[in-house]
Every structure is written in structure tokens, then in C-alpha cells.
Amino acid sequence: MADKFYRLGCDIGGTFTDFVLLNDKTGELKIYKCLTTPKDPSDAVEHGIREMEKNTPAFVEKMDEVIHGTTLVINSIIERKGAKTGLITTKGFRDVLEIGRGIRYAPYDVFAEFPKPLIPRHLRLEVDERIRSDGTVLKPLNPEEARQAVRTLLKMGVESIAVCLINSFENPAHELMLKGIIEKEAPGVSVSFSCRVLPQIKEYERTSTTATNAYVKPLTGRYLSRLSGRLGSIGFKGKLFIMLSSGGVTSVETAAEFPVRIIESGPTAAVIAGQYYGKLFNISEMFCFDMGGTTAKSCLIQKGVAGVVPTFEVGRVQRFMKGSGLTIQVPVVDLMEIGAGGGSIAKVSRMGTLQVGPESSGADPGPMCYAIGGKDPCVTDADLLLGYLDENYFLGGEMKLDKEAARRGVMERVARPLGVTFVQSIWGIHDLINETMAAAAKTHIAEKGGNPKVVTIVAFGGAGPVHAYSLAKKLGAPRLLVPPNAGVGSALGFFTAPRAFDLLRSHKVSLGSANFLDIEKIFKELEADATKILKKEATEKDIKFQRSLDMRFVGQGAETNVPLTEKDFTKLKKEEVRRRFDGVYEKLYGRTYPDSEVEFFNFKVRASLPERLLQLPKLEKKKRSLDQAIKGKRPAYSPMARDFIPYTVYDRYKLFPRAKFRGPAIIEEKESTVIVGEDASVSMDDFGFLWIDLSAGQKPVTKTRMPAKKKLKR
């Protein structure tokens, strides 16, 4: 509509809630950032919008859409604050959530812990039914037995029910019978059916994903309903979209029905923004680094595309140990958690060494320098004491930091217990978190076949630009890119995300015996389901479909994804399908096996609507001198000099296209601060991006050795 030309991106993080208001007519962006309100995240959303209205009056009435990302779902799983949930499953499969894949993530650790299932055993009930792998009924479901199972769960006080019956992806008849029974017996109870949530082979992953969806569904539904109501109460009459973990956005109704799809809602948006910038500047290898107040996540973007993986883990018992978390089988951008955030707590470990994280102070009580009740020194406290942050210009001066409280906390909790100097302690906190992130980043890049010495690092988040220079040095990366408004990168990334939804269905059949008419029918059914989801947002003619196949050699345990461009599968010949599979397989693994039979495993469809991309405005080319952008100098710690030296402080808003200068420099904007060492050079392009060249000095930053306990030096 012509009178609705504003779009708002809103990202709720663990510490801060970020807002970006885009004027589609002019391309103008307006930014706001405030502390998250954990008890009711919608409080921060309403507060932020009302604050933004002071500078842009009556913009709410002219908003076409709000695009929202949230950590609510993942936090409710990690903190175990979801609904009391029951599970109805096939006889013999009650313990599948605990058995899992039967693999020990740490085979030599006899004390290795595993995450507790979201649904305890006494709330997992069985029904004596059985459907074969080909979809035929071996043992019919007894309606009375199913009814009794539902009544038993209701007596135990469940708020949500997950239903996952064996082989329901081939024949959902028994799950649909249970659906009718539950609707009659418990019309007000939230229900999740595996044939809707994940109609896919692999019993553990399907049960775990369905159980997770059921666990967070009531909480997510209440939150999204409350958020919609609050937006309506302040005059918003447009559309509310939610960011998906796969990199698309979807309607609030779909997100409420499948909340498991929005677990990585917030961090994904920064990667989508990085993907957009990579294509804009033709960067073939980009390492997206997003560090906020609670976590730091990364993603390697190759040839302008961020990878999407079909499974991931949440709520790991051991933070960086694969296999120690709950398995979720939904498409998600290939993110890796590589460290902690600005609110990560620094302390002395049981072994008498410095430890940073994984515990976080979050938004409440926050780091000690926030002066709102925090009693533990955090990474942000160390950054402030190192001179990297200005206590009078945090969030543009809206939030004054307490430097003395931070100093006192570091001395009492870190320096004195370790027996080290004050400077060693604050640099140790900063350097240790960078070292942790660099080690994880190297692993992530190597696993994807990348090279850290050729990647361009793009920094997002409030803490990302503060730590990106040191991270780049440790990786040996030659170049660092800091976009404008990097501190609200996720909220900005919402405008570059497509409105899309991914669906799949399992059907195992060998290529030789496959009936392509049956396969085409599966694809058509998936496209019809996707159309129902997206048609609320646009007409059917606007929806585009992208098909792909998961295939494997018969007897193999892992699948290979084969993209399709054809709209009609029946037009393909079996020889052509085999040729494509061999081509993809050989590219991935170096060889293929022409004499071995292959089989179909999953059929996938991605439905998407036309993109409404962010159009970046160019900066005005005014005649300015670099001196006009200099705010002054302040002492900050240099790892090269091993001492505090004068850093030139620049006002990012006063820098201009083609401006160039060398470090040591601190570039400040309201939502983030960029730190540049003395061996790097900085230039600004026509769009306001900062390009930081580190190729001149590739020597790694010297690590600070934290000595064993000694007498405190003063």
C-alpha cells in the first residue's frame, strides 16, 4: 500500500533488544537499542517502538510489516521453562528420547552427562499399534486404548501433547485418529503431530523434534499472541512476520504452530545480512562473526551462500561437544557457537586458572559496569577497563557505565585470587575469550573446506566490532569488514531475508524400482501444503518452488542432497538422476561407486515469495577533513606494545566516503565500537562500510600468559 512504507526489524537477544526502522521510499534507516526484559520480552518491544516514535512521530500507522526474531524458544529449552508435556508413541518406543543414537559423545569419560529429555518417562505413554515401513497397517490402533492414554495424561496435568507413531510419515492414519480423539477429550490442550512437524524417517530425530515443538508451543503461542495484541494496541495494522532458523521469514500463525522452526531465529538474521553483503561486494569467502551480550556465533559464507543443514543440537551439556545436546531435525543456517558474549562472567576456575563463561549475566543483572545489580566481572567490564569502550558514550550516551564498579569487581574476583596485576587480569579476560573464539572458528572454517587466511571477516553485534580485530589477527585473516549499524546487524538482516518455508517428506525407495509418477505426487502434495502456509501473505502465482532430493547408496547411513531444476519430475530419466547424484557425490567425497545401487530417502520443497531486499543508500559526498571526525584521543591497551597507548577516537557518523587512516584507532557509533590496532589501515566506502586491512601485519597477537597464583603486584 502506498501509504504504508515503513518496515520494522526487531531482534530480541539475551541482553539487548534491537530495532531498525526502514523507510522503503527513501532507504533511510533509524536505529534503537534497549535492554531486553526477560520476564516479558514484549515489554521491551513496546518500549522501543514508543521511544522511536519520539524521533519519527506516527510511523506506526504507516508500518507495512514488522519482522521479528527472538531467543525466547531456545532460552525456554535451555532453561527448561517450557510446558508440562506428554508423549504418546508406539508400544516399544517409550524410551527413544533417552536411547537416542546410543552414541557416547565422550567415549573415554565415564562421568559424561547427557541432557535430560524434555518429557520425563512417566509422561511418555504407549499405544499398541503398528504401521509397516511401506505404510501398510500391521496392527490397528485401538480407539479406546488411545482415549485412555489421553485421559491419563490429562489427569497428570499436561499442557501439551506430542504424538509420534512409528512410520507415520508413510501413513499418518493412526496419528490422525489420535488427533480426532484429542480434539474431543482435550479441546484446549496444545498438540503436535510428527506427521505435521517432521514427516521424516529416523525415529529418534522425529520424536525429539516433535517433543521439542510440543514443549515450547504453548509458551510461544502465548507470547506471539501477546506481542500481536500489544502491537495492535499502539496502532499497528500491518503484518507480523517471524524469522525462521532456515533463513526465511514466515507468518506469525505458522511460527506459533511450528515454534521448533524458530529456535535460531535471531542469530540467523545476521548471517543472512552477511550473505547479502557478500553478494553485494562479490566476496567469495566471508566469515560472519556475530557477538552480542550473551553468545558469539559464526558462519562461513562461500560464494555468497550460507549453508543450510538439516539438523542441529540445542541445550548441550558440554557447550562445544557435538552429541551432548538435544537433536532437532529442522533446516537451519549452518551456525556454530564459537564463544561467549559481552555478559560472560570471568572467574577463577577450580584449577586456579582464569575462566570466562559459559555462565552469562545476561540483561538482568548484567555486567558490573551496568550498575543494575551485577556482582560478577564480565567481558564488557574488561573491555571498558581496557579503554575500548567509553563509559559516557555507551548506547550513544543513553546508558552511563560505572567504571569504578567494574574495576572493583575485576580486582576482587580475578586479580587478587589469581595473584596477577590489574592490567594482566583485564587483558587476560579479553584475550582468553578471543583465543576461545579463534580456536572454534578455525575448526568451523576447516570443516567447511575454507581457509582462514583468505576469508573476509564481517563483524556484527554490540561486542563483535570490539573483538573482531583481535580475532582476525589470531586467524591470520587479511581483511575485516564492519557494516554500518553493525550493532543491530540481526535486526537489519531481517530486511534481506526471503519469505520462505521448507517442507520435506521421507519415502525410501531404490532408484531402479521407483515410480516417478508417485514421486511427482509427493512433490505436488508438499507444494500444496506450502501454498496453504504462504498464500496468506501473497497470491499463489507469486510462490516459487525449489525442489531437491536426499539420496544415498543402499545401506549407507548418510544422505547426499541433489538439487532439482525441473518442475515436473516425470520428465526426468533415471539415468539422468543417477548422473546428477554421482556428480554431487564425487564433488563432496572425491569419488563415486557407479556399480552400487542408490535410493531416494527424502523429498524436499522450499517455497518462497518475491524478495523485498534492502536498498543500501550511498553516503553524501561532502567536503570534509578527517580532523572533523576525530573526537580526541584516549589511552587503550595495545597487545603489541603491551601497555596503554593513545588511540585516536573517531566519530563514525562524521566519516565520509574514501576516508582513510591508520590505527591505533577507535571508531564509535551508538550501538557498537570498532577497535583497530596500530598495524592496520581503515577506509570507508560509498555505503559507509569500514574496510580494515590487516595484510601488512600478519604476526599473531601475543597471548598474555596468566601466571600461577602469586603475591599480588600493585
Side-chain angles (χ1 to χ4, degrees):
M1 295 174 66
D3 60 332
K4 290 183 181 285
F5 49 85
Y6 280 112
R7 286 192 282 162
L8 181 72
C10 173
D11 176 42
I12 298 180
T15 305
F16 287 99
T17 296
D18 302 338
F19 301 86
V20 177
L21 182 65
L22 169 65
N23 185 325
D24 273 328
K25 282 186 177 180
T26 64
E28 181 186 15
L29 295 171
K30 293 194 176 179
I31 313 298
Y32 186 74
K33 198 179 187 88
C34 65
L35 284 170
T36 294
T37 49
K39 291 182 180 178
D40 186 353
S42 63
D43 286 343
V45 176
E46 182 173 346
H47 168 76
I49 291 174
R50 292 196 183 280
E51 288 296 312
M52 294 185 81
E53 277 193 311
K54 293 177 181 178
N55 294 323
T56 313
F59 79 83
V60 175
E61 301 168 8
K62 300 172 185 175
M63 270 202 301
D64 182 34
E65 60 187 39
V66 172
I67 310 170
H68 178 48
T70 178
T71 56
L72 176 77
V73 176
I74 192 169
N75 287 346
S76 66
I77 296 169
I78 293 170
E79 297 167 10
R80 299 302 172 106
K81 292 181 178 178
K84 186 176 183 179
T85 306
L87 171 68
I88 298 176
T89 188
T90 302
K91 185 178 180 180
F93 289 84
R94 182 182 186 185
D95 296 316
V96 78
L97 290 177
E98 283 168 305
I99 295 170
R101 285 278 153 212
I103 299 171
R104 294 183 63 84
Y105 64 87
Y108 304 111
D109 183 358
V110 295
F111 300 106
E113 295 181 41
F114 289 85
K116 290 182 180 179
L118 297 175
I119 306 176
R121 194 173 194 271
H122 72 278
L123 294 177
R124 304 196 297 260
L125 304 183
E126 298 176 337
V127 287
D128 193 7
E129 62 81 46
R130 189 79 177 200
I131 288 177
R132 292 188 178 95
S133 60
D134 62 0
T136 58
V137 177
L138 179 64
K139 189 165 191 177
L141 175 68
N142 184 331
E144 188 53 41
E145 183 189 12
R147 194 172 293 110
Q148 188 57 46
V150 174
R151 289 172 180 172
T152 302
L153 288 176
L154 291 175
K155 286 178 183 177
M156 289 191 282
V158 300
E159 304 169 66
S160 185
I161 298 174
V163 178
C164 189
L165 304 180
I166 185 76
N167 293 323
S168 64
F169 57 87
E170 282 286 5
N171 181 357
H174 289 177
E175 286 197 3
L176 295 177
M177 282 177 64
L178 264 166
K179 181 175 183 289
I181 291 168
I182 293 171
E183 286 174 350
K184 288 181 180 178
E185 295 289 330
V189 170
S190 173
V191 192
S192 295
F193 298 91
S194 71
C195 64
R196 289 276 293 146
V197 175
L198 187 68
Q200 183 176 337
I201 202 168
K202 294 186 179 179
E203 217 50 39
Y204 165 60
E205 287 82 356
R206 189 159 59 92
T207 307
S208 178
T209 304
T210 306
T212 304
N213 195 78
Y215 183 74
V216 296
K217 191 173 179 179
L219 176 73
T220 308
R222 287 193 297 269
Y223 167 69
L224 293 176
S225 177
R226 187 165 60 249
L227 178 63
S228 299
R230 294 189 81 157
L231 288 171
S233 69
I234 58 177
F236 175 62
K237 297 179 181 177
K239 299 183 289 288
L240 174 61
F241 293 107
I242 309 297
M243 186 79 193
L244 292 164
S245 303
S246 60
V249 295
T250 191
S251 67
V252 67
E253 294 84 6
T254 302
E257 181 67 23
F258 304 109
V260 72
R261 297 284 193 124
I262 63 171
I263 285 180
E264 292 285 9
S265 175
T268 296
V271 174
I272 301 304
Q275 181 176 268
Y276 174 66
Y277 298 147
K279 291 177 180 177
L280 181 68
F281 297 115
N282 195 27
I283 301 172
S284 60
E285 296 275 320
M286 176 182 277
F287 184 71
C288 186
F289 169 55
D290 180 17
M291 184 176 181
T294 308
T295 58
K297 300 210 172 186
S298 69
C299 179
L300 183 65
I301 301 171
Q302 297 174 297
K303 297 181 180 179
V305 178
V308 175
V309 292
T311 184
F312 69 108
E313 290 179 14
V314 64
R316 284 178 174 170
V317 177
Q318 296 293 330
R319 194 165 187 174
F320 301 113
M321 293 286 285
K322 187 177 180 181
S324 68
L326 300 170
T327 300
I328 309 295
Q329 189 91 13
V330 293
V332 59
V333 168
D334 194 7
L335 284 163
M336 179 180 181
E337 187 172 336
I338 63 166
S344 296
I345 295 170
K347 62 182 179 182
V348 179
S349 72
R350 288 186 225 172
M351 298 181 67
T353 58
L354 177 64
Q355 178 180 330
V356 183
E359 297 86 359
S360 175
S361 62
D364 185 10
M368 295 188 73
C369 61
Y370 286 9
I372 55 174
K375 295 182 179 179
D376 296 298
C378 301
V379 172
T380 299
D381 295 310
D383 292 343
L384 172 64
L385 295 168
L386 287 165
Y388 299 153
L389 303 177
D390 183 349
E391 67 265 36
N392 297 311
Y393 194 67
F394 194 72
L395 294 185
E398 293 180 14
M399 184 177 175
K400 183 173 172 59
L401 301 181
D402 189 340
K403 201 169 187 176
E404 285 308 308
R407 185 186 304 277
R408 187 170 60 252
V410 171
M411 287 296 295
E412 292 176 358
R413 300 294 180 97
V414 179
R416 286 197 181 101
L418 282 174
V420 299
T421 66
F422 172 70
V423 173
Q424 282 179 315
S425 62
I426 56 176
W427 174 248
I429 294 169
H430 180 92
D431 191 52
L432 179 58
I433 197 65
N434 290 340
E435 190 65 40
T436 302
M437 292 189 293
K442 286 177 182 177
T443 302
H444 179 63
I445 293 170
E447 285 177 346
K448 304 304 171 189
N451 181 353
K453 297 190 182 299
V454 302
V455 300
T456 296
I457 295 178
V458 57
F460 293 103
V466 178
H467 290 257
Y469 163 77
S470 290
L471 178 66
K473 293 282 288 181
K474 290 178 184 296
L475 290 177
R479 190 167 59 174
L480 173 62
L481 175 63
V482 185
N485 308 305
V488 291
S490 289
L492 196 61
F494 294 147
F495 302 128
T496 67
R499 285 168 289 178
F501 200 77
D502 296 89
L503 290 171
L504 66 79
R505 187 176 301 167
S506 289
H507 176 62
K508 194 169 70 166
V509 60
S510 67
L511 175 61
S513 59
N515 184 328
F516 280 19
L517 286 173
D518 292 341
I519 292 174
E520 178 61 22
K521 183 181 177 183
I522 291 173
F523 276 126
K524 289 295 185 185
E525 288 173 353
L526 289 171
E527 290 172 354
D529 289 343
T531 300
K532 291 176 185 176
I533 292 170
L534 292 181
K535 71 179 182 180
K536 297 175 184 176
E537 303 155 32
T539 59
E540 291 185 27
K541 66 179 181 179
D542 294 326
I543 301 174
K544 293 183 179 179
F545 300 106
Q546 186 178 342
R547 296 177 173 186
S548 67
L549 303 163
D550 279 347
M551 298 178 66
R552 65 184 187 183
F553 290 107
V554 173
Q556 195 175 31
E559 304 83 50
T560 299
N561 186 256
V562 180
L564 296 173
T565 55
E566 289 76 13
K567 293 183 179 180
D568 187 348
F569 196 75
T570 59
K571 300 289 178 67
L572 280 170
K573 295 185 180 297
K574 292 185 178 181
E575 296 78 13
E576 172 62 17
V577 174
R578 177 60 197 255
R579 188 187 64 78
R580 292 188 191 183
F581 169 80
D582 285 336
V584 175
Y585 194 92
E586 189 170 4
K587 184 179 179 182
L588 286 171
Y589 303 109
R591 62 168 298 177
T592 188
Y593 305 91
D595 297 330
S596 298
E597 191 176 7
V598 297
E599 63 184 359
F600 296 115
F601 195 73
N602 292 321
F603 301 92
K604 298 181 175 181
V605 166
R606 181 178 178 86
S608 59
L609 296 175
E611 296 180 353
R612 295 179 62 181
L613 288 180
L614 170 67
Q615 298 297 321
L616 292 175
K618 288 189 176 182
L619 298 179
E620 292 184 45
K621 293 182 180 180
K622 296 180 180 178
K623 288 187 177 181
R624 291 179 183 170
S625 68
L626 199 57
D627 292 340
Q628 291 176 289
I630 296 175
K631 299 173 76 170
K633 289 181 181 286
R634 76 165 175 262
Y637 188 81
S638 163
M640 296 183 73
R642 297 191 181 187
D643 200 357
F644 282 79
I645 63 172
Y647 275 63
T648 305
V649 183
Y650 294 88
D651 184 340
R652 182 162 184 173
Y653 303 110
K654 292 183 179 179
L655 290 173
F656 48 90
R658 314 293 163 80
K660 294 183 179 181
F661 52 92
R662 288 194 63 82
I666 297 173
I667 304 116
E668 293 182 336
E669 57 183 326
K670 289 180 179 179
E671 295 79 26
S672 62
T673 301
V674 186
I675 307 299
V676 181
E678 54 265 49
D679 60 342
S681 60
V682 185
S683 62
M684 179 175 271
D685 67 14
D686 292 342
F687 297 100
F689 287 73
L690 293 174
W691 296 82
I692 300 167
D693 183 12
L694 298 95
S695 57
Q698 287 294 338
K699 290 183 180 180
V701 178
T702 305
K703 298 181 197 174
T704 300
R705 293 185 178 273
M706 298 302 294
K709 292 186 178 182
K710 294 179 181 178
K711 188 177 178 181
L712 178 64
K713 299 175 185 177
R714 296 187 182 276

